[in-house]
Amino acid sequence: RKEVEQDPGPFNVPEGATVAFNCTYSNSASQSFFWYRQDCRKEPKLLMSVYSSGNEDGRFTAQLNRASQYISLLIRDSKLSDSATYLCVVSPSYGSSNTGKLIFGQGTTLQVKP
Amino acid sequence: DAGITQSPRYKITETGRQVTLMCHQTWSHSYMFWYRQDLGHGLRLIYYSAAADITDKGEVPDGYVVSRSKTENFPLTLESATRSQTSVYFCASSESHLAGAGEQYFGPGTRLTVT
C-alpha cells in the first residue's frame, strides 16, 4: 500500500464548478500535511499547508481528518488557470526523528473547461 | 539569480555512461533533495542531505551517487546509466526540518533520456 494515495483523475469540470479532491495516508504518526500544485512539465510548488482546524485561502479550502487519515482540497468557482495536477504531501514521523522528508502522492489531474 | 537551478535541463545519454546532474541553490538552505518523477509513480525520493557532508538514501537510491561538499551544491551522479533511469529529475531544498516547515523549493527539473 502506498503511503499517500490519491485518485489520479482526470477530473474534467466546467468553469465555475466546485471540485473536491481527497487523499489518504497510511502513517498515523504523520505530522504535517500539504497540497502542492504542479503545472504540466513544470516543477511542483506549495499551494497550501493543511491544518487540523481546516484552513482557507481564497477559493481553496483544505481539511484534515486525522481519525480517518485523509486530507481534502476543495476548489470553488474553478478557473481555467486552476488546470494542473494537485499533489497531496505528507511529512512522516519516524520515531523521534523528523528528517525533513516529504512523501508525495501520485497527484490528481484537474482540467477546467470553458 | 537567486533560487534553485538545475543543469543540464535536457540530457540524452547512452546506456552505461556516467552522467552527473547539477543542482545549485542560493538560499543557504540546509536540506536538499533529489527526486525522480515517472508516470504512475509520482515523485520518488532518491537521496537527501541535511547539511554539507551529510547525505542519506531515499526510496530509490540504487544506481545513484550523491555528494555535498558545499551547502549550495548537491550533484547527482548516475554511475552507469540504464534505460530505467530515463525520467524527469527534480532537485529541491528547504530551510528547516522542523515539523510544519514543509515547503520545499524545487528546481525546474532535468529531463534525462537514456538510449
Side-chain angles (χ1 to χ4, degrees), chain B residues 1-9 21-27 32 34 72-75 89-93 105-110:
Chain B
D1 289 345
I4 183 165
T5 57
Q6 293 183 236
S7 61
R9 294 292 313 279
L21 309 184
M22 304 302 293
C23 179
H24 175 78
Q25 52 105 352
T26 60
W27 295 302
M32 295 189 75
W34 272 107
E72 60 267 29
N73 297 324
F74 191 38
Y89 291 86
F90 286 103
C91 177
S93 71
Y105 299 84
F106 284 78
T110 295

Side-chain angles (χ1 to χ4, degrees), chain B residues 6-75:
Chain B
Q6 293 183 236
S7 61
R9 294 292 313 279
Y10 303 89
K11 178 75 177 177
I12 300 174
T13 192
E14 295 176 342
T15 300
R17 294 208 180 249
Q18 184 179 82
V19 177
T20 295
L21 309 184
M22 304 302 293
C23 179
H24 175 78
Q25 52 105 352
T26 60
W27 295 302
S28 298
H29 284 171
S30 296
Y31 281 73
M32 295 189 75
F33 309 84
W34 272 107
Y35 296 89
R36 59 177 292 173
Q37 187 171 37
D38 306 285
L39 278 174
H41 289 282
L43 280 161
R44 291 183 290 174
L45 183 65
I46 304 170
Y47 268 96
Y48 67 104
S49 168
D53 298 321
I54 301 175
T55 63
D56 206 350
K57 296 178 181 179
E59 183 185 352
V60 288
D62 293 342
Y64 303 95
V65 174
V66 293
S67 62
R68 191 150 176 227
S69 58
K70 293 183 179 181
T71 299
E72 60 267 29
N73 297 324
F74 191 38

Side-chain angles (χ1 to χ4, degrees), chain A residues 31-32 34 36 38 43 98-99, chain B residues 31 37 97 99-100 102 104 107:
Chain A
Q31 298 199 1
S32 306
F34 313 90
Y36 274 66
Q38 186 174 24
E43 70 273 22
N98 185 320
T99 61
Chain B
Y31 281 73
Q37 187 171 37
H97 69 290
Q104 289 186 8

Side-chain angles (χ1 to χ4, degrees), chain A residues 10-77:
Chain A
F11 285 60
N12 295 303
V13 303
E15 268 188 295
T18 295
V19 61
F21 309 135
N22 290 328
C23 159
T24 59
Y25 61 95
S26 60
N27 183 350
S28 60
S30 296
Q31 298 199 1
S32 306
F33 309 89
F34 313 90
W35 284 100
Y36 274 66
R37 171 187 169 135
Q38 186 174 24
D39 292 304
C40 187
R41 302 176 76 85
K42 298 282 191 180
E43 70 273 22
K45 293 182 180 179
L46 179 67
L47 176 66
M48 59 194 303
S49 301
V50 186
Y51 303 120
S52 297
S53 56
N55 50 298
E56 190 173 304
D57 183 1
R59 297 181 293 108
F60 298 82
T61 300
Q63 297 276 358
L64 168 63
N65 185 319
R66 283 189 182 270
S68 301
Q69 293 178 215
Y70 81 78
I71 306 152
S72 65
L73 177 68
L74 181 77
I75 304 174
R76 290 182 300 279
D77 188 23

